[in-house]
Amino acid sequence: MTAVLIPNDSEFGIDNLPYGVFSTAEAAERVGVRVGDSVVDLAAALGDTIFDTASLNPFMAQGRNRWIDVRRQITELIEADAVPANALHDLGTVNLHMPFEVADYVDFYASEHHARNLGRLFRPDSEPLMPNWKHLPVGYHGRAGTVVVSGTEIIRPSGQRKVPAQSVPDFGPSRRLDIEVEMGFVVGVGTPLGTRINPDQFAEHVFGAVIVNDWSARDIQAWEYVPLGPFLGKSFATSISPWVVPMLALEPARIDTPLQDPRPLPYLREQRSWALDIDIVVEWNGHEVSRPLYSAMYWSPAQMLAHITINGASSRTGDLFASGTVSGPEQEQRGSFIELTWDGTEPIAIGDDNRTFLQDGDEVVITVSAPGSTGRRIGFGEVRGRIVASKSS
Amino acid sequence: MTAVLIPNDSEFGIDNLPYGVFSTAEAAERVGVRVGDSVVDLAAALGDTIFDTASLNPFMAQGRNRWIDVRRQITELIEADAVPANALHDLGTVNLHMPFEVADYVDFYASEHHARNLGRLFRPDSEPLMPNWKHLPVGYHGRAGTVVVSGTEIIRPSGQRKVPAQSVPDFGPSRRLDIEVEMGFVVGVGTPLGTRINPDQFAEHVFGAVIVNDWSARDIQAWEYVPLGPFLGKSFATSISPWVVPMLALEPARIDTPLQDPRPLPYLREQRSWALDIDIVVEWNGHEVSRPLYSAMYWSPAQMLAHITINGASSRTGDLFASGTVSGPEQEQRGSFIELTWDGTEPIAIGDDNRTFLQDGDEVVITVSAPGSTGRRIGFGEVRGRIVASKSS
């Protein structure tokens, strides 16, 4: 039995306990919990084979009472200094993998500041916010098979590009490769066809949250997206953080959404909001470029899930839905480079360089934290990605 | 050993041999092949446990050489009257299930007649065909988790509806519930991130084809779909036929696409087209209402798959991509009711009734066949769905 060292300033104390999937030189992929700078092997620590697998899905499907019980068991082991020595690994010695199998992936568009900015950039001749935007959380399905874990190299996509001066599109690597800083939410307990999830049932269904970088090729997207929405401009890669922070740990982060006017239809009303007070920092090649303001998001994740299922669509363990780009009202709170550089017309300084969109070799790191229950903050860790050249053109 | 009876006029002769998943009163779900009005249990007939499972995915992942070999083995068993008696079931005694697990679902928009018709109806003040339409197969991701097998009841979806006369949306069951008649294609062998599928590699990757009815709630769709595309207007259900017709059986159905002008970019060019000569019949409550013309589709399925992967997106066993609504140039060749009734303004006679959109209790059956190698036709069977009332409003 061993004591787990938790540094005083750690964002991974016992009020956090995020879940992930790790492997070591000796052992194949399995479920672990991060505590301080250690990873606790749950199959070894709790003697439960449901954790001896390369995915959180079986555990997530067991439901909220079980999530509460396992969290209590882990807490007790740590507080009693009773973690078996063979269950404890230094974070630096493990490899982290995709924490869950993605079933369906939905991406929303829930920041009013982002929607207004992109409306101005993509449709300069029209009202930036569409008439439906304040009545429903606008969203669409993305590609589940290309959700990858932090650290996966991002291969620059090629595709059809057309700038207004061209009469026909040409083909080649994207020249306007961008990020979208988002938060994602993972369904643990799904629902059958013909049923709905009320916003107040959110915590019964949603297991936890991750950081999302929804990489976007703006030139491909701008040409392809009418009338059926973004497709290849997004589907080449979406990165998520390796640690899934339980919604149970995020109770202290709950706040109200901004005033929603007009008042949403009854199916979108929450008794107590699941809006969240989350801090985000974006670094581009090691230089901080933005602090997107999650607390300003117009729609809460509970409203998003209620909307996904209001038509009777089923939901499944592993469904991932993301908030859409997090942008606040200020320039330094924008969550994409197309916004930060205003369509590439206002380059930003990255050390000695000026940048508009991503160059090969560039690396973006998004770091996230939230208020915890102990007065310290709880961390989501980071989502990291480096751009590599298009494989051919 | 038993002879399998194949009626002379059967569309399920040895030139077809479609695969599905069936169960009986005695046996759990497993893979079978339809021959005449019988189902051959492949695990029992071939002694291979890969077929003793509720999904075609493991077999599909084995690749084209294996698909050819199993097809040859089945043909030899049937021609030698050597199917084991315990492997043979009457079609009427089995239940049919989802034939494969859907990984990602992509829906295209590949009929020029359909795209022009919907452009006129949804955007009456603009050019019906968007500038990108003849340069790339326009598509978007749909909800994989709500793809259901033929016969599954379709629960009328509820959602936000807004007609132009309303200043704000109201909520309730869709009043404009519609069909979309499509053909779907199933990936057997996927590809890793950063690779592309050339159109001429189509047959190495795509296992077979199914009939698709992509149910659509036009009132929900019209309000929600700007700017990110269709979402809840489609995601409540997509029905597919239970039999997957192998691409190996569809060689005799290959034809050229209509002239593509402008000439597509090189990544979309086929040496020999995978356009298909397929006949479709649509029945509404037992009355034939349309014969959508698949041979008029502008983009071939090989071009669609090349487009899905041109940005380096990975593909997976079980990926389903559908053609989009099949509509020909004539009114009686339209593949949706919004087109057939011109936005509900021209009701059509269904026996003694007039119909615009679907009413509760209505049933739609889509039947498909194609030229086979023996001079007879090969059948896809049917996709059938009945509308039931919204569960609550």
Side-chain angles (χ1 to χ4, degrees), chain A residues 104 132 135 141 143-146 158 160 169 196 223-224 226 228-229 231-232 235-236 267 307 311 314 316 319 392, chain B residues 104 132 135 141 143-146 158 160 169 196 223-224 226 228-229 231-232 235-236 267 307 311 314 316 319 392:
Chain A
D104 270 298
N132 57 17
H135 292 278
H141 285 92
R143 191 163 185 84
T146 53
S158 291
Q160 295 195 20
R196 302 170 183 174
W223 169 236
E224 75 176 355
V226 282
L228 299 185
F231 183 36
L232 300 184
S235 65
F236 56 97
Y267 80 90
H307 191 63
N311 66 348
S314 50
R316 292 181 292 172
D319 279 349
S392 64
Chain B
D104 270 299
N132 57 16
H135 293 278
H141 284 93
R143 191 164 185 82
T146 52
S158 291
Q160 294 196 21
R196 302 169 185 175
W223 169 236
E224 74 176 356
V226 283
L228 300 185
F231 183 36
L232 300 184
S235 66
F236 56 97
Y267 79 90
H307 191 62
N311 66 348
S314 51
R316 293 181 290 173
D319 279 349
S392 63

Short mmCIF file of all heavy atoms in Angstrom, two decimals, chain A residues 104 132 135 141 143-146 158 160 169 196 223-224 226 228-229 231-232 235-236 267 307 311 314 316 319 392, chain B residues 104 132 135 141 143-146 158 160 169 196 223-224 226 228-229 231-232 235-236 267 307 311 314 316 319 392:
data_model
loop_
_atom_site.label_atom_id
_atom_site.label_comp_id
_atom_site.label_asym_id
_atom_site.label_seq_id
_atom_site.Cartn_x
_atom_site.Cartn_y
_atom_site.Cartn_z
N ASP A 104 -21.61 8.93 -31.80
CA ASP A 104 -21.84 10.05 -32.72
C ASP A 104 -21.21 11.31 -32.15
O ASP A 104 -21.13 11.51 -30.94
CB ASP A 104 -23.36 10.28 -32.93
CG ASP A 104 -23.90 9.47 -34.10
OD1 ASP A 104 -23.43 9.71 -35.23
OD2 ASP A 104 -24.76 8.61 -33.89
N ASN A 132 -32.69 31.89 -36.55
CA ASN A 132 -32.93 30.77 -35.63
C ASN A 132 -31.99 30.77 -34.42
O ASN A 132 -32.23 30.06 -33.44
CB ASN A 132 -32.79 29.43 -36.38
CG ASN A 132 -31.43 29.26 -37.07
OD1 ASN A 132 -30.47 29.97 -36.75
ND2 ASN A 132 -31.34 28.32 -38.00
N HIS A 135 -33.12 30.93 -30.84
CA HIS A 135 -34.24 30.04 -30.51
C HIS A 135 -33.80 28.61 -30.26
O HIS A 135 -34.49 27.86 -29.58
CB HIS A 135 -35.28 30.07 -31.64
CG HIS A 135 -35.99 31.38 -31.75
ND1 HIS A 135 -37.06 31.72 -30.96
CD2 HIS A 135 -35.75 32.46 -32.54
CE1 HIS A 135 -37.47 32.94 -31.27
NE2 HIS A 135 -36.69 33.42 -32.22
N HIS A 141 -23.79 17.31 -37.25
CA HIS A 141 -22.98 16.13 -36.98
C HIS A 141 -21.60 16.26 -37.63
O HIS A 141 -21.49 16.67 -38.78
CB HIS A 141 -23.66 14.87 -37.50
CG HIS A 141 -24.81 14.43 -36.64
ND1 HIS A 141 -26.11 14.82 -36.87
CD2 HIS A 141 -24.84 13.65 -35.53
CE1 HIS A 141 -26.90 14.28 -35.94
NE2 HIS A 141 -26.16 13.57 -35.11
N ARG A 143 -17.51 14.15 -37.91
CA ARG A 143 -17.02 12.79 -38.19
C ARG A 143 -16.47 12.17 -36.91
O ARG A 143 -15.42 12.60 -36.39
CB ARG A 143 -15.95 12.84 -39.27
CG ARG A 143 -15.56 11.46 -39.81
CD ARG A 143 -14.83 11.58 -41.12
NE ARG A 143 -14.55 10.30 -41.72
CZ ARG A 143 -15.40 9.58 -42.48
NH1 ARG A 143 -16.60 10.07 -42.71
NH2 ARG A 143 -15.06 8.43 -42.98
N ALA A 144 -17.13 11.13 -36.41
CA ALA A 144 -16.72 10.48 -35.17
C ALA A 144 -15.38 9.75 -35.33
O ALA A 144 -14.58 9.69 -34.40
CB ALA A 144 -17.80 9.50 -34.71
N GLY A 145 -15.14 9.22 -36.53
CA GLY A 145 -13.96 8.38 -36.73
C GLY A 145 -12.65 9.14 -36.75
O GLY A 145 -11.58 8.52 -36.71
N THR A 146 -12.71 10.46 -36.83
CA THR A 146 -11.47 11.23 -36.86
C THR A 146 -11.29 12.08 -35.60
O THR A 146 -10.53 13.04 -35.61
CB THR A 146 -11.40 12.13 -38.13
OG1 THR A 146 -12.59 12.91 -38.22
CG2 THR A 146 -11.26 11.28 -39.38
N SER A 158 -5.71 18.55 -47.72
CA SER A 158 -5.83 19.13 -49.05
C SER A 158 -7.30 19.11 -49.46
O SER A 158 -8.10 18.35 -48.92
CB SER A 158 -5.01 18.35 -50.06
OG SER A 158 -3.62 18.54 -49.81
N GLN A 160 -10.47 21.24 -52.25
CA GLN A 160 -10.85 22.28 -53.20
C GLN A 160 -10.88 23.63 -52.48
O GLN A 160 -11.50 23.78 -51.44
CB GLN A 160 -12.23 22.00 -53.81
CG GLN A 160 -12.25 20.75 -54.65
CD GLN A 160 -13.48 20.66 -55.54
OE1 GLN A 160 -14.14 21.67 -55.81
NE2 GLN A 160 -13.79 19.45 -56.00
N PRO A 169 -12.56 26.46 -58.71
CA PRO A 169 -11.68 26.10 -57.59
C PRO A 169 -10.38 25.47 -58.10
O PRO A 169 -10.33 24.91 -59.19
CB PRO A 169 -12.51 25.06 -56.84
CG PRO A 169 -13.40 24.46 -57.88
CD PRO A 169 -13.74 25.58 -58.81
N ARG A 196 -36.73 11.49 -24.97
CA ARG A 196 -36.05 12.78 -24.91
C ARG A 196 -35.32 12.90 -23.59
O ARG A 196 -35.73 12.30 -22.61
CB ARG A 196 -37.09 13.91 -24.97
CG ARG A 196 -37.94 13.86 -26.20
CD ARG A 196 -39.08 14.84 -26.06
NE ARG A 196 -39.96 14.73 -27.23
CZ ARG A 196 -41.09 15.37 -27.36
NH1 ARG A 196 -41.52 16.18 -26.40
NH2 ARG A 196 -41.82 15.21 -28.45
N TRP A 223 -15.81 27.19 -49.33
CA TRP A 223 -16.25 26.80 -50.67
C TRP A 223 -17.30 25.70 -50.62
O TRP A 223 -18.25 25.67 -51.39
CB TRP A 223 -15.02 26.36 -51.48
CG TRP A 223 -15.25 25.67 -52.79
CD1 TRP A 223 -14.78 24.44 -53.16
CD2 TRP A 223 -15.97 26.16 -53.93
NE1 TRP A 223 -15.17 24.15 -54.43
CE2 TRP A 223 -15.91 25.18 -54.93
CE3 TRP A 223 -16.69 27.34 -54.19
CZ2 TRP A 223 -16.50 25.33 -56.19
CZ3 TRP A 223 -17.30 27.48 -55.44
CH2 TRP A 223 -17.20 26.49 -56.42
N GLU A 224 -17.17 24.77 -49.66
CA GLU A 224 -18.02 23.57 -49.69
C GLU A 224 -19.33 23.72 -48.91
O GLU A 224 -20.24 22.93 -49.11
CB GLU A 224 -17.26 22.39 -49.07
CG GLU A 224 -17.18 22.51 -47.54
CD GLU A 224 -16.52 21.35 -46.83
OE1 GLU A 224 -16.18 20.36 -47.47
OE2 GLU A 224 -16.34 21.45 -45.61
N VAL A 226 -22.09 25.49 -48.41
CA VAL A 226 -23.48 25.75 -48.79
C VAL A 226 -24.00 24.65 -49.71
O VAL A 226 -23.27 24.23 -50.61
CB VAL A 226 -23.62 27.11 -49.50
CG1 VAL A 226 -23.59 28.23 -48.49
CG2 VAL A 226 -22.57 27.30 -50.58
N LEU A 228 -25.35 22.49 -47.24
CA LEU A 228 -25.56 21.43 -46.26
C LEU A 228 -24.60 21.47 -45.08
O LEU A 228 -24.58 20.56 -44.26
CB LEU A 228 -25.51 20.06 -46.96
CG LEU A 228 -26.58 19.85 -48.05
CD1 LEU A 228 -26.54 18.43 -48.60
CD2 LEU A 228 -27.98 20.16 -47.52
N GLY A 229 -23.76 22.52 -44.99
CA GLY A 229 -22.94 22.68 -43.80
C GLY A 229 -21.50 22.23 -43.99
O GLY A 229 -21.12 21.72 -45.04
N PHE A 231 -18.07 20.14 -43.93
CA PHE A 231 -17.84 18.70 -44.16
C PHE A 231 -16.33 18.46 -44.15
O PHE A 231 -15.73 18.28 -43.08
CB PHE A 231 -18.51 18.31 -45.48
CG PHE A 231 -18.46 16.86 -45.85
CD1 PHE A 231 -18.55 15.89 -44.89
CD2 PHE A 231 -18.35 16.47 -47.19
CE1 PHE A 231 -18.51 14.54 -45.23
CE2 PHE A 231 -18.30 15.13 -47.54
CZ PHE A 231 -18.38 14.17 -46.57
N LEU A 232 -15.66 18.54 -45.31
CA LEU A 232 -14.23 18.23 -45.35
C LEU A 232 -13.37 19.30 -44.69
O LEU A 232 -12.21 19.02 -44.34
CB LEU A 232 -13.78 18.04 -46.81
CG LEU A 232 -14.48 16.93 -47.59
CD1 LEU A 232 -13.86 16.80 -48.97
CD2 LEU A 232 -14.40 15.61 -46.86
N SER A 235 -13.58 17.52 -41.17
CA SER A 235 -13.60 16.08 -40.89
C SER A 235 -12.22 15.42 -40.86
O SER A 235 -12.12 14.23 -40.58
CB SER A 235 -14.47 15.36 -41.92
OG SER A 235 -13.91 15.44 -43.22
N PHE A 236 -11.14 16.18 -41.14
CA PHE A 236 -9.81 15.55 -41.17
C PHE A 236 -9.28 15.26 -39.77
O PHE A 236 -8.47 14.34 -39.60
CB PHE A 236 -8.82 16.41 -41.96
CG PHE A 236 -8.71 17.82 -41.47
CD1 PHE A 236 -7.70 18.20 -40.61
CD2 PHE A 236 -9.64 18.77 -41.85
CE1 PHE A 236 -7.60 19.49 -40.14
CE2 PHE A 236 -9.56 20.09 -41.37
CZ PHE A 236 -8.53 20.44 -40.52
N TYR A 267 -38.81 23.02 -23.65
CA TYR A 267 -37.91 21.86 -23.65
C TYR A 267 -36.46 22.25 -23.45
O TYR A 267 -35.62 21.39 -23.18
CB TYR A 267 -38.10 21.01 -24.92
CG TYR A 267 -37.42 21.51 -26.18
CD1 TYR A 267 -36.11 21.12 -26.50
CD2 TYR A 267 -38.07 22.37 -27.06
CE1 TYR A 267 -35.49 21.56 -27.66
CE2 TYR A 267 -37.47 22.82 -28.22
CZ TYR A 267 -36.17 22.41 -28.51
OH TYR A 267 -35.55 22.86 -29.65
N HIS A 307 -31.68 19.39 -26.86
CA HIS A 307 -31.98 19.67 -28.26
C HIS A 307 -31.66 18.47 -29.16
O HIS A 307 -32.46 18.12 -30.04
CB HIS A 307 -31.20 20.91 -28.72
CG HIS A 307 -31.64 21.43 -30.05
ND1 HIS A 307 -32.90 21.91 -30.27
CD2 HIS A 307 -30.98 21.55 -31.24
CE1 HIS A 307 -33.01 22.29 -31.55
NE2 HIS A 307 -31.85 22.08 -32.15
N ASN A 311 -36.16 15.46 -30.97
CA ASN A 311 -36.88 14.83 -32.10
C ASN A 311 -37.01 13.32 -31.93
O ASN A 311 -37.43 12.64 -32.85
CB ASN A 311 -36.18 15.17 -33.42
CG ASN A 311 -34.79 14.54 -33.52
OD1 ASN A 311 -34.27 14.05 -32.53
ND2 ASN A 311 -34.21 14.59 -34.70
N SER A 314 -32.22 8.65 -30.71
CA SER A 314 -31.58 7.92 -29.63
C SER A 314 -30.21 8.52 -29.35
O SER A 314 -29.65 9.24 -30.17
CB SER A 314 -31.44 6.44 -30.00
OG SER A 314 -30.85 6.31 -31.28
N ARG A 316 -26.27 7.37 -27.41
CA ARG A 316 -25.50 6.17 -27.07
C ARG A 316 -24.33 6.50 -26.16
O ARG A 316 -23.79 7.61 -26.21
CB ARG A 316 -24.95 5.52 -28.36
CG ARG A 316 -26.01 4.94 -29.25
CD ARG A 316 -25.40 4.29 -30.49
NE ARG A 316 -24.79 5.26 -31.39
CZ ARG A 316 -24.07 4.95 -32.46
NH1 ARG A 316 -23.83 3.68 -32.74
NH2 ARG A 316 -23.57 5.89 -33.23
N ASP A 319 -21.37 9.02 -27.13
CA ASP A 319 -21.72 10.20 -27.91
C ASP A 319 -20.96 11.40 -27.35
O ASP A 319 -20.92 11.62 -26.13
CB ASP A 319 -23.23 10.50 -27.82
CG ASP A 319 -24.07 9.65 -28.77
OD1 ASP A 319 -23.49 8.97 -29.64
OD2 ASP A 319 -25.30 9.67 -28.63
N SER A 392 0.50 14.67 -49.77
CA SER A 392 0.72 14.86 -51.20
C SER A 392 -0.27 15.90 -51.64
O SER A 392 -1.19 16.24 -50.92
CB SER A 392 0.51 13.57 -51.97
OG SER A 392 -0.84 13.16 -51.85
N ASP B 104 -19.38 5.80 -39.38
CA ASP B 104 -19.86 7.15 -39.70
C ASP B 104 -20.85 7.08 -40.85
O ASP B 104 -20.73 6.22 -41.74
CB ASP B 104 -18.68 8.08 -40.06
CG ASP B 104 -18.12 8.80 -38.84
OD1 ASP B 104 -18.88 9.55 -38.19
OD2 ASP B 104 -16.94 8.58 -38.51
N ASN B 132 -20.77 25.59 -56.04
CA ASN B 132 -19.88 24.45 -55.82
C ASN B 132 -20.44 23.14 -56.38
O ASN B 132 -19.69 22.16 -56.51
CB ASN B 132 -19.59 24.29 -54.31
CG ASN B 132 -20.85 24.14 -53.47
OD1 ASN B 132 -21.93 23.85 -54.00
ND2 ASN B 132 -20.73 24.32 -52.17
N HIS B 135 -18.73 21.05 -58.99
CA HIS B 135 -17.30 20.84 -58.77
C HIS B 135 -17.00 19.74 -57.76
O HIS B 135 -15.92 19.16 -57.77
CB HIS B 135 -16.64 22.15 -58.31
CG HIS B 135 -16.63 23.21 -59.38
ND1 HIS B 135 -15.69 23.26 -60.36
CD2 HIS B 135 -17.49 24.23 -59.63
CE1 HIS B 135 -15.93 24.29 -61.18
NE2 HIS B 135 -17.03 24.88 -60.75
N HIS B 141 -22.34 14.99 -42.73
CA HIS B 141 -22.46 13.84 -41.83
C HIS B 141 -23.86 13.78 -41.21
O HIS B 141 -24.39 14.79 -40.77
CB HIS B 141 -21.42 13.91 -40.72
CG HIS B 141 -20.05 13.54 -41.17
ND1 HIS B 141 -19.14 14.48 -41.61
CD2 HIS B 141 -19.43 12.33 -41.28
CE1 HIS B 141 -18.02 13.86 -41.96
NE2 HIS B 141 -18.16 12.57 -41.78
N ARG B 143 -26.56 11.18 -38.57
CA ARG B 143 -26.46 10.49 -37.28
C ARG B 143 -26.40 8.98 -37.48
O ARG B 143 -27.37 8.35 -37.91
CB ARG B 143 -27.66 10.87 -36.40
CG ARG B 143 -27.51 10.42 -34.94
CD ARG B 143 -28.51 11.13 -34.04
NE ARG B 143 -28.33 10.82 -32.64
CZ ARG B 143 -27.43 11.41 -31.84
NH1 ARG B 143 -26.64 12.35 -32.32
NH2 ARG B 143 -27.33 11.07 -30.57
N ALA B 144 -25.25 8.39 -37.16
CA ALA B 144 -25.06 6.95 -37.36
C ALA B 144 -25.95 6.14 -36.42
O ALA B 144 -26.42 5.06 -36.78
CB ALA B 144 -23.59 6.59 -37.15
N GLY B 145 -26.18 6.65 -35.22
CA GLY B 145 -26.89 5.88 -34.20
C GLY B 145 -28.38 5.70 -34.47
O GLY B 145 -29.03 4.91 -33.80
N THR B 146 -28.92 6.43 -35.45
CA THR B 146 -30.35 6.31 -35.73
C THR B 146 -30.60 5.71 -37.11
O THR B 146 -31.68 5.88 -37.67
CB THR B 146 -31.07 7.67 -35.59
OG1 THR B 146 -30.38 8.65 -36.38
CG2 THR B 146 -31.10 8.13 -34.14
N SER B 158 -40.93 15.56 -33.15
CA SER B 158 -41.37 16.91 -32.78
C SER B 158 -40.17 17.84 -32.83
O SER B 158 -39.02 17.41 -32.78
CB SER B 158 -41.98 16.92 -31.38
OG SER B 158 -43.20 16.22 -31.37
N GLN B 160 -38.94 22.37 -33.38
CA GLN B 160 -39.28 23.77 -33.65
C GLN B 160 -39.70 23.91 -35.12
O GLN B 160 -38.98 23.49 -36.02
CB GLN B 160 -38.08 24.68 -33.37
CG GLN B 160 -37.70 24.71 -31.91
CD GLN B 160 -36.78 25.86 -31.55
OE1 GLN B 160 -36.71 26.87 -32.27
NE2 GLN B 160 -36.10 25.74 -30.42
N PRO B 169 -40.83 30.71 -33.75
CA PRO B 169 -41.19 29.31 -33.96
C PRO B 169 -42.16 28.82 -32.89
O PRO B 169 -42.19 29.35 -31.77
CB PRO B 169 -39.85 28.59 -33.83
CG PRO B 169 -39.03 29.47 -32.94
CD PRO B 169 -39.44 30.87 -33.26
N ARG B 196 -5.80 8.56 -48.86
CA ARG B 196 -6.94 8.86 -49.72
C ARG B 196 -7.34 7.62 -50.49
O ARG B 196 -6.52 6.76 -50.75
CB ARG B 196 -6.56 9.94 -50.74
CG ARG B 196 -6.09 11.20 -50.13
CD ARG B 196 -5.49 12.09 -51.19
NE ARG B 196 -4.93 13.28 -50.58
CZ ARG B 196 -4.26 14.21 -51.24
NH1 ARG B 196 -4.08 14.09 -52.54
NH2 ARG B 196 -3.78 15.25 -50.60
N TRP B 223 -36.26 25.48 -40.84
CA TRP B 223 -36.00 26.48 -39.80
C TRP B 223 -34.57 26.36 -39.24
O TRP B 223 -33.91 27.34 -38.95
CB TRP B 223 -37.05 26.34 -38.71
CG TRP B 223 -36.82 27.08 -37.42
CD1 TRP B 223 -36.78 26.54 -36.17
CD2 TRP B 223 -36.66 28.49 -37.24
NE1 TRP B 223 -36.59 27.52 -35.23
CE2 TRP B 223 -36.51 28.73 -35.85
CE3 TRP B 223 -36.62 29.59 -38.11
CZ2 TRP B 223 -36.31 30.01 -35.31
CZ3 TRP B 223 -36.42 30.86 -37.57
CH2 TRP B 223 -36.27 31.06 -36.20
N GLU B 224 -34.07 25.14 -39.11
CA GLU B 224 -32.81 24.92 -38.40
C GLU B 224 -31.58 25.00 -39.28
O GLU B 224 -30.47 25.15 -38.78
CB GLU B 224 -32.81 23.54 -37.73
CG GLU B 224 -32.62 22.41 -38.75
CD GLU B 224 -32.53 21.01 -38.14
OE1 GLU B 224 -32.52 20.87 -36.92
OE2 GLU B 224 -32.48 20.06 -38.96
N VAL B 226 -29.84 26.70 -41.52
CA VAL B 226 -28.82 27.71 -41.79
C VAL B 226 -28.08 28.05 -40.50
O VAL B 226 -28.71 28.20 -39.46
CB VAL B 226 -29.45 29.00 -42.37
CG1 VAL B 226 -29.76 28.79 -43.83
CG2 VAL B 226 -30.67 29.45 -41.60
N LEU B 228 -25.42 25.75 -40.73
CA LEU B 228 -24.56 24.56 -40.57
C LEU B 228 -25.16 23.28 -41.14
O LEU B 228 -24.58 22.21 -40.98
CB LEU B 228 -24.15 24.39 -39.11
CG LEU B 228 -23.37 25.56 -38.51
CD1 LEU B 228 -22.91 25.24 -37.08
CD2 LEU B 228 -22.16 25.91 -39.37
N GLY B 229 -26.33 23.37 -41.80
CA GLY B 229 -26.87 22.20 -42.49
C GLY B 229 -27.95 21.50 -41.71
O GLY B 229 -28.29 21.84 -40.57
N PHE B 231 -30.02 18.91 -39.41
CA PHE B 231 -29.65 18.27 -38.15
C PHE B 231 -30.86 17.47 -37.64
O PHE B 231 -31.04 16.33 -38.04
CB PHE B 231 -29.17 19.35 -37.19
CG PHE B 231 -28.66 18.89 -35.85
CD1 PHE B 231 -27.95 17.72 -35.73
CD2 PHE B 231 -28.87 19.64 -34.69
CE1 PHE B 231 -27.48 17.28 -34.50
CE2 PHE B 231 -28.40 19.22 -33.47
CZ PHE B 231 -27.71 18.05 -33.36
N LEU B 232 -31.72 18.09 -36.83
CA LEU B 232 -32.85 17.35 -36.25
C LEU B 232 -33.92 17.01 -37.28
O LEU B 232 -34.73 16.10 -37.06
CB LEU B 232 -33.47 18.15 -35.11
CG LEU B 232 -32.54 18.48 -33.95
CD1 LEU B 232 -33.33 19.19 -32.84
CD2 LEU B 232 -31.90 17.22 -33.39
N SER B 235 -32.19 13.59 -38.19
CA SER B 235 -31.48 12.67 -37.30
C SER B 235 -32.39 11.71 -36.52
O SER B 235 -31.89 10.87 -35.79
CB SER B 235 -30.62 13.46 -36.30
OG SER B 235 -31.44 14.22 -35.43
N PHE B 236 -33.73 11.83 -36.67
CA PHE B 236 -34.62 10.95 -35.90
C PHE B 236 -34.64 9.52 -36.45
O PHE B 236 -34.87 8.58 -35.69
CB PHE B 236 -36.03 11.53 -35.84
CG PHE B 236 -36.64 11.82 -37.18
CD1 PHE B 236 -37.50 10.92 -37.79
CD2 PHE B 236 -36.33 13.00 -37.85
CE1 PHE B 236 -38.05 11.18 -39.03
CE2 PHE B 236 -36.88 13.27 -39.11
CZ PHE B 236 -37.73 12.35 -39.70
N TYR B 267 -8.74 14.22 -58.78
CA TYR B 267 -9.02 13.24 -57.71
C TYR B 267 -10.42 12.65 -57.82
O TYR B 267 -10.72 11.66 -57.16
CB TYR B 267 -8.77 13.85 -56.32
CG TYR B 267 -9.87 14.75 -55.77
CD1 TYR B 267 -10.92 14.24 -55.00
CD2 TYR B 267 -9.87 16.12 -56.01
CE1 TYR B 267 -11.91 15.05 -54.48
CE2 TYR B 267 -10.85 16.95 -55.50
CZ TYR B 267 -11.87 16.41 -54.74
OH TYR B 267 -12.86 17.22 -54.23
N HIS B 307 -14.09 11.70 -52.51
CA HIS B 307 -14.26 13.03 -51.91
C HIS B 307 -14.21 12.96 -50.37
O HIS B 307 -13.54 13.79 -49.74
CB HIS B 307 -15.57 13.64 -52.38
CG HIS B 307 -15.72 15.09 -52.04
ND1 HIS B 307 -14.86 16.05 -52.51
CD2 HIS B 307 -16.60 15.75 -51.24
CE1 HIS B 307 -15.22 17.23 -52.04
NE2 HIS B 307 -16.26 17.08 -51.26
N ASN B 311 -9.36 14.78 -47.98
CA ASN B 311 -8.71 15.63 -46.96
C ASN B 311 -7.90 14.81 -45.96
O ASN B 311 -7.44 15.35 -44.95
CB ASN B 311 -9.76 16.49 -46.23
CG ASN B 311 -10.72 15.65 -45.40
OD1 ASN B 311 -10.75 14.42 -45.53
ND2 ASN B 311 -11.49 16.30 -44.56
N SER B 314 -9.76 9.48 -42.17
CA SER B 314 -9.76 8.02 -42.16
C SER B 314 -11.16 7.51 -42.49
O SER B 314 -12.15 8.24 -42.38
CB SER B 314 -9.32 7.51 -40.79
OG SER B 314 -10.07 8.13 -39.76
N ARG B 316 -13.65 3.77 -41.97
CA ARG B 316 -13.73 2.58 -41.12
C ARG B 316 -14.71 1.56 -41.68
O ARG B 316 -15.68 1.91 -42.36
CB ARG B 316 -14.20 2.97 -39.71
CG ARG B 316 -13.22 3.83 -38.95
CD ARG B 316 -13.76 4.14 -37.55
NE ARG B 316 -14.91 5.05 -37.60
CZ ARG B 316 -15.65 5.37 -36.54
NH1 ARG B 316 -15.38 4.84 -35.36
NH2 ARG B 316 -16.66 6.21 -36.67
N ASP B 319 -18.61 2.24 -42.32
CA ASP B 319 -18.99 3.57 -42.80
C ASP B 319 -20.06 3.41 -43.87
O ASP B 319 -19.92 2.60 -44.80
CB ASP B 319 -17.78 4.31 -43.40
CG ASP B 319 -16.90 4.95 -42.34
OD1 ASP B 319 -17.29 5.02 -41.16
OD2 ASP B 319 -15.78 5.40 -42.70
N SER B 392 -45.06 12.46 -27.60
CA SER B 392 -45.65 13.53 -26.79
C SER B 392 -45.35 14.81 -27.53
O SER B 392 -44.56 14.84 -28.45
CB SER B 392 -45.05 13.56 -25.38
OG SER B 392 -43.67 13.86 -25.46
#
